[in-house]
Amino acid sequence: MNHQVRPYEPLTSENAALVLVDHQVGLMSGVRDISTGELKHNVVALAKSAKLHKLPVIVTTTARDSMWGPTFPELVEALPGIEIIDRATVNAFDDARVFRAIETTGRKKLIFAGISLAICAAFPAITAVGRGLDAYVAVDACGTFSQTKREVGLLRMLQAGVIITDYATLMVEILKDNSRPDAGAIYGAIDMPWAKLVGQIAQAYGK
């Protein structure tokens, strides 16, 4: 079997956009593959660091006034003033307003996260690949309702050519250069425990 590997083209602040799908309080209550606290932390850190990178950010909900409730407050607070697109379609890409918002960014590399992983993140990511775009899913900024759903969601995305990774790696890839003047702020927004630990050790030794 001939597997053609595309040349590596890194994510940048100019070619990437972030799409956050259905991080709603009702759906959060059913997540079983990651703790609610860790999931909230990761999504908020992803949103904050993407904002510092000046990435376009698109946020969407499904049936927020009936079935699944609003976006969780910490994420709304991290993205002040952002319009949250409420829709009825299962696949966010099938909603004309979401599609237009993505298309308007002009970005060819789309970072997705959603609840649930196997539907809210996977369906639009797979659709993006089918339309000739590069799709990335930050799996630790997603949640789903069982380990089985997590596993089959990951397999389906991998079969379709979606790039599976984590939120911090995506944001550090975009950072690219640790000498950037905003690197400290971006690492602070990413909020990785080991980065905090390094800072605490340096402070303890007076460095």
Side-chain angles (χ1 to χ4, degrees):
M1 185 180 295
N2 182 26
H3 293 281
Q4 186 175 3
V5 178
R6 294 173 58 183
Y8 170 59
E9 181 186 1
L11 288 158
T12 70
S13 295
E14 289 73 40
N15 66 16
L18 175 63
V19 185
L20 299 175
V21 185
D22 301 356
H23 290 91
Q24 296 168 252
V25 293
L27 293 170
M28 291 281 289
S29 68
V31 169
R32 295 293 180 268
D33 63 326
I34 184 173
S35 73
T36 301
E38 184 178 359
L39 177 55
K40 284 185 175 182
H41 168 274
N42 295 348
V43 177
V44 169
L46 175 60
K48 286 182 175 179
S49 48
K51 188 177 175 184
L52 286 173
H53 279 309
K54 297 181 171 59
L55 301 188
V57 181
I58 297 156
V59 182
T60 181
T61 55
T62 302
R64 67 174 168 235
D65 296 322
S66 54
M67 291 189 290
W68 308 126
T71 302
F72 71 84
E74 294 90 337
L75 181 56
V76 175
E77 184 179 349
L79 297 168
I82 197 165
E83 178 191 2
I84 298 176
I85 303 170
D86 191 54
R87 62 180 210 286
T89 62
V90 172
N91 184 343
F93 236 119
D94 290 341
D95 183 274
R97 295 162 300 161
V98 176
F99 172 72
R100 281 196 303 270
I102 292 172
E103 190 176 43
T104 299
T105 69
R107 307 302 175 90
K108 303 301 182 185
K109 293 179 177 289
L110 303 178
I111 299 167
F112 293 93
I115 303 174
S116 70
L117 170 71
I119 296 173
C120 301
F123 287 3
I126 292 168
T127 302
V129 171
R131 297 188 182 203
L133 303 170
D134 291 334
Y136 300 73
V137 170
V139 293
D140 55 352
C142 301
T144 192
F145 312 127
S146 71
Q147 189 61 32
T148 298
K149 289 182 183 297
R150 178 182 177 85
E151 290 171 3
V152 298
L154 292 173
L155 284 170
R156 185 171 183 184
M157 286 189 285
L158 288 168
Q159 290 164 351
V162 176
I163 299 166
I164 303 299
T165 184
D166 64 278
Y167 84 90
T169 298
L170 289 163
M171 295 298 102
V172 172
E173 180 176 354
I174 294 171
L175 174 65
K176 190 176 181 178
D177 186 346
N178 286 314
S179 68
R180 278 175 46 173
D182 58 353
I186 289 169
Y187 278 114
I190 292 170
D191 196 23
M192 293 180 291
W194 67 264
K196 285 185 174 181
L197 179 62
V198 169
Q200 290 165 359
I201 292 172
Q203 186 177 28
Y205 282 91
K207 296 182 180 179

